[in-house]
Amino acid sequence: MPNTIRIKKFNGKKSFNLWRIKMRALLKEQCVWAPVASASMKKPVTSESKEKASVSKTEELAEQEENAHSLILLSLSDEVLYKVANEETASGLWLKLEKLYMTKSICNKLFLKRCLFGLHMK
């Protein structure tokens, strides 16, 4: 019986950093982290490097991209999914999630303060 790793869906209310660490581990375990990691490197691709890449390697990366994209989407709640549904690539999806939930803008700080002050003791 193969090992199945379960990660709770990210709903936008819990810690994004913790979910991100778990999701990165899952993607690495499934051997589909490469397409997501390539976005952070942002290496310029020259025509020579395109010619050197083999067809099988390109097909393998495309399959990894699809698998990573679907794994990330399936690990999001419906509320978060609506916000990132237009992203077509795993790397774009990952960057959009980081942009939405890792920002330290004044809007995010005010939202967190409102959540904090809205807490009630039972």
Side-chain angles (χ1 to χ4, degrees):
M1 183 173 162
N3 292 340
T4 56
I5 299 172
R6 296 188 186 268
I7 295 177
K8 286 189 178 182
K9 291 186 177 193
F10 178 66
N11 61 5
K13 296 179 177 94
K14 302 280 180 171
S15 172
F16 175 72
N17 281 331
L18 187 59
W19 176 85
R20 189 177 72 133
I21 292 167
K22 291 178 182 179
M23 196 66 209
R24 183 184 305 145
L26 175 66
L27 292 171
K28 285 181 179 181
E29 193 268 333
Q30 297 288 327
C31 300
V32 294
W33 174 247
V36 179
S38 66
S40 61
M41 292 179 202
K42 295 183 181 175
K43 293 188 280 187
V45 179
T46 62
S47 60
E48 293 174 11
S49 63
K50 284 183 183 178
E51 293 171 6
K52 291 179 182 178
S54 67
V55 175
S56 62
K57 183 73 170 174
T58 305
E59 290 174 357
E60 182 182 330
L61 282 174
E63 185 177 340
Q64 286 180 354
E65 168 69 33
E66 289 177 19
N67 290 339
H69 188 260
S70 62
L71 275 172
I72 296 170
L73 286 177
L74 291 171
S75 299
L76 300 173
S77 69
D78 292 342
E79 297 84 20
V80 177
L81 188 57
Y82 285 126
K83 294 179 183 178
V84 296
N86 59 344
E87 294 297 329
E88 305 261 337
T89 64
S91 58
L93 186 59
W94 194 259
L95 291 174
K96 178 83 175 207
L97 286 166
E98 286 182 341
K99 181 180 174 188
L100 288 172
Y101 296 102
M102 283 191 61
T103 59
K104 295 186 176 165
S105 67
I106 189 72
C107 294
N108 196 18
K109 288 180 183 178
L110 289 173
F111 173 75
L112 292 173
K113 282 185 181 180
R114 188 179 340 159
C115 289
L116 175 66
F117 295 134
L119 294 176
H120 299 285
M121 294 184 72
K122 291 183 179 181

